[in-house]
Amino acid sequence: MSVTVLDQEMYTEAEAARLLAVPPTTLNYWLEGGERRGKLYEPIVREARKGGHPPVTWAEFVECAWLRQYRRKHQVPMKELRAFITQLRDKLGVPYPLAHARAFAYAGKLLIVEAQEVAGLDPEYYLVAPVGGQMLLTPPAEEYHERLQYEDDIVAAWRPHDDPNSSVLIRPNVRFGRPSVAGISTDVLWEQVDAGASIDEVAMDFGITPRDVRWAVSYESARAA
């Protein structure tokens, strides 16, 4: 997978917000920054504002997925998160460090530890914690990392479903970045079942396993709830 995939424009802000299950205004603030209580804040994910509501790239989507995960586990102050991402970006020398596998390799973990300290993150919000001479991912960081699949050291897929056994994935080069199982859009499978077809019938029609159909239906049903 080419690194240019990270810069590929994938979604409108509204589409990205729907897939990430966050309010559109929240996503726009993460991407573009904004004014809060009379003070102007810089973007958290982007290095600089693009202005308006430009398309969301794959790298931006992946980092927003991390931010979503981390904010739900820990109500970390945005100022500290912004400082942390800036530090990590500078130390790794890439614009979207959390979309790269090397951020979670041993050397990358050391850089994360440094970035946490420089940014002034409270230890309870750390992504990596030194334990017994080892650099271990904290539970929120581990949960985020387990949702990812890599190709050529960059994120090639993200699992949107909370259940680690789910086969639903979002890939930038499959179904235009829409959720899918075995290359089939989850909404297409869900529509077939919703129309009255059985799980086994749908699986046979699309040449996939009943398990994949069940995960697709589970994912789409949760989104519709």
Side-chain angles (χ1 to χ4, degrees):
M1 175 172 287
S2 170
V3 175
T4 57
V5 170
L6 293 177
D7 298 317
Q8 185 174 331
E9 294 179 344
M10 294 298 304
Y11 311 105
T12 66
E13 272 192 15
E15 289 171 323
R18 181 176 59 82
L19 290 171
L20 292 167
V22 298
T25 53
T26 296
L27 182 64
N28 180 259
Y29 179 69
W30 292 351
L31 293 168
E32 287 288 300
E35 186 174 330
R36 298 285 174 90
R37 302 181 185 89
K39 184 177 180 180
L40 189 64
Y41 292 92
E42 293 300 314
I44 298 170
V45 171
R46 288 175 179 155
E47 291 187 87
R49 294 182 185 87
K50 294 182 178 180
H53 301 272
V56 179
T57 67
W58 177 242
E60 291 167 349
F61 180 82
V62 170
E63 290 215 338
C64 285
W66 169 77
L67 197 54
R68 163 191 178 270
Q69 182 70 25
Y70 212 59
R71 284 286 292 174
R72 287 186 176 183
K73 289 291 182 180
H74 298 304
Q75 290 300 309
V76 187
M78 285 297 179
K79 179 181 179 181
E80 295 179 10
L81 282 177
R82 187 181 293 108
F84 165 72
I85 291 178
T86 299
Q87 285 292 324
L88 189 58
R89 182 186 293 137
D90 292 343
K91 290 180 182 298
L92 281 174
V94 293
Y96 297 99
L98 294 169
H100 287 264
R102 66 176 180 266
F104 298 97
Y106 183 77
K109 289 178 182 177
L110 291 176
L111 294 179
I112 288 177
V113 169
E114 292 178 20
Q116 291 170 163
E117 294 173 351
V118 173
L121 274 181
D122 189 292
E124 72 172 297
Y125 302 144
Y126 278 5
L127 276 76
V128 174
V131 178
Q134 293 184 309
M135 298 295 170
L136 302 180
L137 294 178
T138 60
E142 182 67 31
E143 187 171 347
Y144 165 73
H145 187 52
E146 287 180 348
R147 287 177 178 243
L148 306 178
Q149 292 182 8
Y150 296 92
E151 290 179 19
D152 300 326
D153 287 336
I154 64 172
V155 175
W158 175 66
R159 173 174 51 80
H161 204 288
D162 290 335
D163 194 313
N165 296 309
S166 174
S167 56
V168 177
L169 293 173
I170 292 179
R171 300 176 182 270
N173 56 353
V174 176
R175 298 297 172 185
F176 304 101
R178 272 44 181 189
S180 64
V181 293
I184 309 297
S185 296
T186 55
D187 58 352
V188 170
L189 299 172
W190 180 81
E191 287 171 0
Q192 295 293 315
V193 174
D194 188 56
S198 71
I199 295 291
D200 289 339
E201 287 171 338
V202 174
M204 184 175 295
D205 287 344
F206 285 89
I208 59 178
T209 67
R211 176 182 180 274
D212 283 336
V213 178
R214 281 192 287 270
W215 277 121
V217 171
S218 172
Y219 171 72
E220 289 293 335
S221 297
R223 286 211 303 169

mmCIF file with all atom_site columns, all heavy atoms in Angstrom, residues 12-30:
data_model
loop_
_atom_site.group_PDB
_atom_site.id
_atom_site.type_symbol
_atom_site.label_atom_id
_atom_site.label_alt_id
_atom_site.label_comp_id
_atom_site.label_asym_id
_atom_site.label_entity_id
_atom_site.label_seq_id
_atom_site.pdbx_PDB_ins_code
_atom_site.Cartn_x
_atom_site.Cartn_y
_atom_site.Cartn_z
_atom_site.occupancy
_atom_site.B_iso_or_equiv
_atom_site.pdbx_formal_charge
_atom_site.auth_seq_id
_atom_site.auth_comp_id
_atom_site.auth_asym_id
_atom_site.auth_atom_id
_atom_site.pdbx_PDB_model_num
ATOM 1   N N   . THR A 1 12 ? -16.892 12.960 2.959  1.00 0.00 ? 12 THR A N   1
ATOM 2   C CA  . THR A 1 12 ? -17.308 14.281 3.418  1.00 0.00 ? 12 THR A CA  1
ATOM 3   C C   . THR A 1 12 ? -17.246 14.269 4.939  1.00 0.00 ? 12 THR A C   1
ATOM 4   O O   . THR A 1 12 ? -17.202 13.201 5.561  1.00 0.00 ? 12 THR A O   1
ATOM 5   C CB  . THR A 1 12 ? -18.742 14.598 2.974  1.00 0.00 ? 12 THR A CB  1
ATOM 6   O OG1 . THR A 1 12 ? -19.646 13.696 3.637  1.00 0.00 ? 12 THR A OG1 1
ATOM 7   C CG2 . THR A 1 12 ? -18.896 14.474 1.461  1.00 0.00 ? 12 THR A CG2 1
ATOM 8   N N   . GLU A 1 13 ? -17.249 15.424 5.549  1.00 0.00 ? 13 GLU A N   1
ATOM 9   C CA  . GLU A 1 13 ? -17.251 15.469 7.020  1.00 0.00 ? 13 GLU A CA  1
ATOM 10  C C   . GLU A 1 13 ? -18.470 14.751 7.577  1.00 0.00 ? 13 GLU A C   1
ATOM 11  O O   . GLU A 1 13 ? -18.376 14.043 8.586  1.00 0.00 ? 13 GLU A O   1
ATOM 12  C CB  . GLU A 1 13 ? -17.225 16.916 7.513  1.00 0.00 ? 13 GLU A CB  1
ATOM 13  C CG  . GLU A 1 13 ? -15.840 17.477 7.668  1.00 0.00 ? 13 GLU A CG  1
ATOM 14  C CD  . GLU A 1 13 ? -15.842 18.783 8.435  1.00 0.00 ? 13 GLU A CD  1
ATOM 15  O OE1 . GLU A 1 13 ? -16.852 19.120 9.096  1.00 0.00 ? 13 GLU A OE1 1
ATOM 16  O OE2 . GLU A 1 13 ? -14.821 19.496 8.378  1.00 0.00 ? 13 GLU A OE2 1
ATOM 17  N N   . ALA A 1 14 ? -19.610 14.943 6.926  1.00 0.00 ? 14 ALA A N   1
ATOM 18  C CA  . ALA A 1 14 ? -20.841 14.303 7.410  1.00 0.00 ? 14 ALA A CA  1
ATOM 19  C C   . ALA A 1 14 ? -20.734 12.788 7.353  1.00 0.00 ? 14 ALA A C   1
ATOM 20  O O   . ALA A 1 14 ? -21.148 12.082 8.284  1.00 0.00 ? 14 ALA A O   1
ATOM 21  C CB  . ALA A 1 14 ? -22.038 14.789 6.592  1.00 0.00 ? 14 ALA A CB  1
ATOM 22  N N   . GLU A 1 15 ? -20.162 12.260 6.264  1.00 0.00 ? 15 GLU A N   1
ATOM 23  C CA  . GLU A 1 15 ? -19.998 10.811 6.134  1.00 0.00 ? 15 GLU A CA  1
ATOM 24  C C   . GLU A 1 15 ? -19.025 10.278 7.177  1.00 0.00 ? 15 GLU A C   1
ATOM 25  O O   . GLU A 1 15 ? -19.269 9.236  7.808  1.00 0.00 ? 15 GLU A O   1
ATOM 26  C CB  . GLU A 1 15 ? -19.485 10.469 4.738  1.00 0.00 ? 15 GLU A CB  1
ATOM 27  C CG  . GLU A 1 15 ? -20.501 10.677 3.629  1.00 0.00 ? 15 GLU A CG  1
ATOM 28  C CD  . GLU A 1 15 ? -19.892 10.528 2.254  1.00 0.00 ? 15 GLU A CD  1
ATOM 29  O OE1 . GLU A 1 15 ? -18.728 10.940 2.052  1.00 0.00 ? 15 GLU A OE1 1
ATOM 30  O OE2 . GLU A 1 15 ? -20.581 9.986  1.368  1.00 0.00 ? 15 GLU A OE2 1
ATOM 31  N N   . ALA A 1 16 ? -17.906 10.975 7.362  1.00 0.00 ? 16 ALA A N   1
ATOM 32  C CA  . ALA A 1 16 ? -16.913 10.540 8.347  1.00 0.00 ? 16 ALA A CA  1
ATOM 33  C C   . ALA A 1 16 ? -17.508 10.560 9.754  1.00 0.00 ? 16 ALA A C   1
ATOM 34  O O   . ALA A 1 16 ? -17.278 9.641  10.545 1.00 0.00 ? 16 ALA A O   1
ATOM 35  C CB  . ALA A 1 16 ? -15.683 11.435 8.282  1.00 0.00 ? 16 ALA A CB  1
ATOM 36  N N   . ALA A 1 17 ? -18.265 11.592 10.068 1.00 0.00 ? 17 ALA A N   1
ATOM 37  C CA  . ALA A 1 17 ? -18.890 11.681 11.386 1.00 0.00 ? 17 ALA A CA  1
ATOM 38  C C   . ALA A 1 17 ? -19.861 10.526 11.610 1.00 0.00 ? 17 ALA A C   1
ATOM 39  O O   . ALA A 1 17 ? -19.918 9.946  12.708 1.00 0.00 ? 17 ALA A O   1
ATOM 40  C CB  . ALA A 1 17 ? -19.610 13.016 11.536 1.00 0.00 ? 17 ALA A CB  1
ATOM 41  N N   . ARG A 1 18 ? -20.605 10.164 10.567 1.00 0.00 ? 18 ARG A N   1
ATOM 42  C CA  . ARG A 1 18 ? -21.548 9.055  10.691 1.00 0.00 ? 18 ARG A CA  1
ATOM 43  C C   . ARG A 1 18 ? -20.818 7.735  10.920 1.00 0.00 ? 18 ARG A C   1
ATOM 44  O O   . ARG A 1 18 ? -21.209 6.932  11.772 1.00 0.00 ? 18 ARG A O   1
ATOM 45  C CB  . ARG A 1 18 ? -22.414 8.978  9.433  1.00 0.00 ? 18 ARG A CB  1
ATOM 46  C CG  . ARG A 1 18 ? -23.453 7.860  9.455  1.00 0.00 ? 18 ARG A CG  1
ATOM 47  C CD  . ARG A 1 18 ? -24.339 7.927  8.215  1.00 0.00 ? 18 ARG A CD  1
ATOM 48  N NE  . ARG A 1 18 ? -23.572 7.812  6.995  1.00 0.00 ? 18 ARG A NE  1
ATOM 49  C CZ  . ARG A 1 18 ? -23.160 6.665  6.473  1.00 0.00 ? 18 ARG A CZ  1
ATOM 50  N NH1 . ARG A 1 18 ? -23.453 5.523  7.081  1.00 0.00 ? 18 ARG A NH1 1
ATOM 51  N NH2 . ARG A 1 18 ? -22.478 6.644  5.348  1.00 0.00 ? 18 ARG A NH2 1
ATOM 52  N N   . LEU A 1 19 ? -19.752 7.497  10.182 1.00 0.00 ? 19 LEU A N   1
ATOM 53  C CA  . LEU A 1 19 ? -18.994 6.259  10.325 1.00 0.00 ? 19 LEU A CA  1
ATOM 54  C C   . LEU A 1 19 ? -18.285 6.174  11.675 1.00 0.00 ? 19 LEU A C   1
ATOM 55  O O   . LEU A 1 19 ? -18.136 5.095  12.249 1.00 0.00 ? 19 LEU A O   1
ATOM 56  C CB  . LEU A 1 19 ? -17.965 6.132  9.200  1.00 0.00 ? 19 LEU A CB  1
ATOM 57  C CG  . LEU A 1 19 ? -18.538 5.882  7.805  1.00 0.00 ? 19 LEU A CG  1
ATOM 58  C CD1 . LEU A 1 19 ? -17.444 6.009  6.754  1.00 0.00 ? 19 LEU A CD1 1
ATOM 59  C CD2 . LEU A 1 19 ? -19.203 4.511  7.723  1.00 0.00 ? 19 LEU A CD2 1
ATOM 60  N N   . LEU A 1 20 ? -17.856 7.324  12.185 1.00 0.00 ? 20 LEU A N   1
ATOM 61  C CA  . LEU A 1 20 ? -17.165 7.352  13.473 1.00 0.00 ? 20 LEU A CA  1
ATOM 62  C C   . LEU A 1 20 ? -18.133 7.457  14.648 1.00 0.00 ? 20 LEU A C   1
ATOM 63  O O   . LEU A 1 20 ? -17.721 7.301  15.805 1.00 0.00 ? 20 LEU A O   1
ATOM 64  C CB  . LEU A 1 20 ? -16.198 8.540  13.524 1.00 0.00 ? 20 LEU A CB  1
ATOM 65  C CG  . LEU A 1 20 ? -14.984 8.457  12.587 1.00 0.00 ? 20 LEU A CG  1
ATOM 66  C CD1 . LEU A 1 20 ? -14.291 9.810  12.503 1.00 0.00 ? 20 LEU A CD1 1
ATOM 67  C CD2 . LEU A 1 20 ? -14.016 7.387  13.057 1.00 0.00 ? 20 LEU A CD2 1
ATOM 68  N N   . ALA A 1 21 ? -19.399 7.711  14.344 1.00 0.00 ? 21 ALA A N   1
ATOM 69  C CA  . ALA A 1 21 ? -20.430 7.865  15.381 1.00 0.00 ? 21 ALA A CA  1
ATOM 70  C C   . ALA A 1 21 ? -20.092 9.004  16.336 1.00 0.00 ? 21 ALA A C   1
ATOM 71  O O   . ALA A 1 21 ? -20.135 8.860  17.564 1.00 0.00 ? 21 ALA A O   1
ATOM 72  C CB  . ALA A 1 21 ? -20.630 6.556  16.149 1.00 0.00 ? 21 ALA A CB  1
ATOM 73  N N   . VAL A 1 22 ? -19.738 10.158 15.761 1.00 0.00 ? 22 VAL A N   1
ATOM 74  C CA  . VAL A 1 22 ? -19.498 11.368 16.550 1.00 0.00 ? 22 VAL A CA  1
ATOM 75  C C   . VAL A 1 22 ? -20.314 12.500 15.936 1.00 0.00 ? 22 VAL A C   1
ATOM 76  O O   . VAL A 1 22 ? -20.616 12.483 14.731 1.00 0.00 ? 22 VAL A O   1
ATOM 77  C CB  . VAL A 1 22 ? -18.003 11.752 16.588 1.00 0.00 ? 22 VAL A CB  1
ATOM 78  C CG1 . VAL A 1 22 ? -17.179 10.659 17.236 1.00 0.00 ? 22 VAL A CG1 1
ATOM 79  C CG2 . VAL A 1 22 ? -17.471 12.078 15.200 1.00 0.00 ? 22 VAL A CG2 1
ATOM 80  N N   . PRO A 1 23 ? -20.677 13.507 16.709 1.00 0.00 ? 23 PRO A N   1
ATOM 81  C CA  . PRO A 1 23 ? -21.412 14.642 16.156 1.00 0.00 ? 23 PRO A CA  1
ATOM 82  C C   . PRO A 1 23 ? -20.573 15.365 15.094 1.00 0.00 ? 23 PRO A C   1
ATOM 83  O O   . PRO A 1 23 ? -19.358 15.531 15.272 1.00 0.00 ? 23 PRO A O   1
ATOM 84  C CB  . PRO A 1 23 ? -21.655 15.542 17.376 1.00 0.00 ? 23 PRO A CB  1
ATOM 85  C CG  . PRO A 1 23 ? -21.553 14.624 18.549 1.00 0.00 ? 23 PRO A CG  1
ATOM 86  C CD  . PRO A 1 23 ? -20.529 13.598 18.179 1.00 0.00 ? 23 PRO A CD  1
ATOM 87  N N   . PRO A 1 24 ? -21.202 15.799 13.997 1.00 0.00 ? 24 PRO A N   1
ATOM 88  C CA  . PRO A 1 24 ? -20.456 16.504 12.957 1.00 0.00 ? 24 PRO A CA  1
ATOM 89  C C   . PRO A 1 24 ? -19.704 17.733 13.471 1.00 0.00 ? 24 PRO A C   1
ATOM 90  O O   . PRO A 1 24 ? -18.594 18.015 13.015 1.00 0.00 ? 24 PRO A O   1
ATOM 91  C CB  . PRO A 1 24 ? -21.545 16.909 11.960 1.00 0.00 ? 24 PRO A CB  1
ATOM 92  C CG  . PRO A 1 24 ? -22.614 15.876 12.139 1.00 0.00 ? 24 PRO A CG  1
ATOM 93  C CD  . PRO A 1 24 ? -22.606 15.565 13.612 1.00 0.00 ? 24 PRO A CD  1
ATOM 94  N N   . THR A 1 25 ? -20.294 18.456 14.420 1.00 0.00 ? 25 THR A N   1
ATOM 95  C CA  . THR A 1 25 ? -19.619 19.638 14.955 1.00 0.00 ? 25 THR A CA  1
ATOM 96  C C   . THR A 1 25 ? -18.352 19.251 15.717 1.00 0.00 ? 25 THR A C   1
ATOM 97  O O   . THR A 1 25 ? -17.357 19.973 15.687 1.00 0.00 ? 25 THR A O   1
ATOM 98  C CB  . THR A 1 25 ? -20.560 20.420 15.887 1.00 0.00 ? 25 THR A CB  1
ATOM 99  O OG1 . THR A 1 25 ? -21.090 19.533 16.898 1.00 0.00 ? 25 THR A OG1 1
ATOM 100 C CG2 . THR A 1 25 ? -21.704 21.040 15.118 1.00 0.00 ? 25 THR A CG2 1
ATOM 101 N N   . THR A 1 26 ? -18.401 18.113 16.403 1.00 0.00 ? 26 THR A N   1
ATOM 102 C CA  . THR A 1 26 ? -17.219 17.637 17.126 1.00 0.00 ? 26 THR A CA  1
ATOM 103 C C   . THR A 1 26 ? -16.111 17.265 16.156 1.00 0.00 ? 26 THR A C   1
ATOM 104 O O   . THR A 1 26 ? -14.941 17.638 16.342 1.00 0.00 ? 26 THR A O   1
ATOM 105 C CB  . THR A 1 26 ? -17.577 16.413 17.985 1.00 0.00 ? 26 THR A CB  1
ATOM 106 O OG1 . THR A 1 26 ? -18.526 16.805 18.978 1.00 0.00 ? 26 THR A OG1 1
ATOM 107 C CG2 . THR A 1 26 ? -16.339 15.834 18.666 1.00 0.00 ? 26 THR A CG2 1
ATOM 108 N N   . LEU A 1 27 ? -16.463 16.545 15.099 1.00 0.00 ? 27 LEU A N   1
ATOM 109 C CA  . LEU A 1 27 ? -15.465 16.149 14.114 1.00 0.00 ? 27 LEU A CA  1
ATOM 110 C C   . LEU A 1 27 ? -14.840 17.376 13.462 1.00 0.00 ? 27 LEU A C   1
ATOM 111 O O   . LEU A 1 27 ? -13.620 17.436 13.268 1.00 0.00 ? 27 LEU A O   1
ATOM 112 C CB  . LEU A 1 27 ? -16.092 15.252 13.051 1.00 0.00 ? 27 LEU A CB  1
ATOM 113 C CG  . LEU A 1 27 ? -15.126 14.734 11.986 1.00 0.00 ? 27 LEU A CG  1
ATOM 114 C CD1 . LEU A 1 27 ? -14.074 13.824 12.606 1.00 0.00 ? 27 LEU A CD1 1
ATOM 115 C CD2 . LEU A 1 27 ? -15.871 14.006 10.872 1.00 0.00 ? 27 LEU A CD2 1
ATOM 116 N N   . ASN A 1 28 ? -15.654 18.362 13.117 1.00 0.00 ? 28 ASN A N   1
ATOM 117 C CA  . ASN A 1 28 ? -15.126 19.572 12.496 1.00 0.00 ? 28 ASN A CA  1
ATOM 118 C C   . ASN A 1 28 ? -14.155 20.284 13.431 1.00 0.00 ? 28 ASN A C   1
ATOM 119 O O   . ASN A 1 28 ? -13.121 20.803 12.991 1.00 0.00 ? 28 ASN A O   1
ATOM 120 C CB  . ASN A 1 28 ? -16.270 20.515 12.101 1.00 0.00 ? 28 ASN A CB  1
ATOM 121 C CG  . ASN A 1 28 ? -15.761 21.788 11.443 1.00 0.00 ? 28 ASN A CG  1
ATOM 122 O OD1 . ASN A 1 28 ? -15.687 22.841 12.077 1.00 0.00 ? 28 ASN A OD1 1
ATOM 123 N ND2 . ASN A 1 28 ? -15.410 21.700 10.175 1.00 0.00 ? 28 ASN A ND2 1
ATOM 124 N N   . TYR A 1 29 ? -14.450 20.274 14.719 1.00 0.00 ? 29 TYR A N   1
ATOM 125 C CA  . TYR A 1 29 ? -13.549 20.918 15.689 1.00 0.00 ? 29 TYR A CA  1
ATOM 126 C C   . TYR A 1 29 ? -12.223 20.168 15.762 1.00 0.00 ? 29 TYR A C   1
ATOM 127 O O   . TYR A 1 29 ? -11.156 20.775 15.832 1.00 0.00 ? 29 TYR A O   1
ATOM 128 C CB  . TYR A 1 29 ? -14.213 20.959 17.061 1.00 0.00 ? 29 TYR A CB  1
ATOM 129 C CG  . TYR A 1 29 ? -13.353 21.594 18.128 1.00 0.00 ? 29 TYR A CG  1
ATOM 130 C CD1 . TYR A 1 29 ? -13.086 22.960 18.098 1.00 0.00 ? 29 TYR A CD1 1
ATOM 131 C CD2 . TYR A 1 29 ? -12.814 20.830 19.161 1.00 0.00 ? 29 TYR A CD2 1
ATOM 132 C CE1 . TYR A 1 29 ? -12.293 23.545 19.076 1.00 0.00 ? 29 TYR A CE1 1
ATOM 133 C CE2 . TYR A 1 29 ? -12.029 21.413 20.135 1.00 0.00 ? 29 TYR A CE2 1
ATOM 134 C CZ  . TYR A 1 29 ? -11.764 22.773 20.088 1.00 0.00 ? 29 TYR A CZ  1
ATOM 135 O OH  . TYR A 1 29 ? -10.983 23.350 21.039 1.00 0.00 ? 29 TYR A OH  1
ATOM 136 N N   . TRP A 1 30 ? -12.274 18.843 15.748 1.00 0.00 ? 30 TRP A N   1
ATOM 137 C CA  . TRP A 1 30 ? -11.031 18.058 15.762 1.00 0.00 ? 30 TRP A CA  1
ATOM 138 C C   . TRP A 1 30 ? -10.185 18.354 14.537 1.00 0.00 ? 30 TRP A C   1
ATOM 139 O O   . TRP A 1 30 ? -8.956  18.419 14.616 1.00 0.00 ? 30 TRP A O   1
ATOM 140 C CB  . TRP A 1 30 ? -11.349 16.566 15.800 1.00 0.00 ? 30 TRP A CB  1
ATOM 141 C CG  . TRP A 1 30 ? -11.963 16.093 17.076 1.00 0.00 ? 30 TRP A CG  1
ATOM 142 C CD1 . TRP A 1 30 ? -12.097 16.787 18.235 1.00 0.00 ? 30 TRP A CD1 1
ATOM 143 C CD2 . TRP A 1 30 ? -12.554 14.806 17.315 1.00 0.00 ? 30 TRP A CD2 1
ATOM 144 N NE1 . TRP A 1 30 ? -12.740 16.026 19.182 1.00 0.00 ? 30 TRP A NE1 1
ATOM 145 C CE2 . TRP A 1 30 ? -13.009 14.813 18.643 1.00 0.00 ? 30 TRP A CE2 1
ATOM 146 C CE3 . TRP A 1 30 ? -12.717 13.669 16.526 1.00 0.00 ? 30 TRP A CE3 1
ATOM 147 C CZ2 . TRP A 1 30 ? -13.636 13.699 19.210 1.00 0.00 ? 30 TRP A CZ2 1
ATOM 148 C CZ3 . TRP A 1 30 ? -13.339 12.564 17.083 1.00 0.00 ? 30 TRP A CZ3 1
ATOM 149 C CH2 . TRP A 1 30 ? -13.796 12.565 18.418 1.00 0.00 ? 30 TRP A CH2 1
#
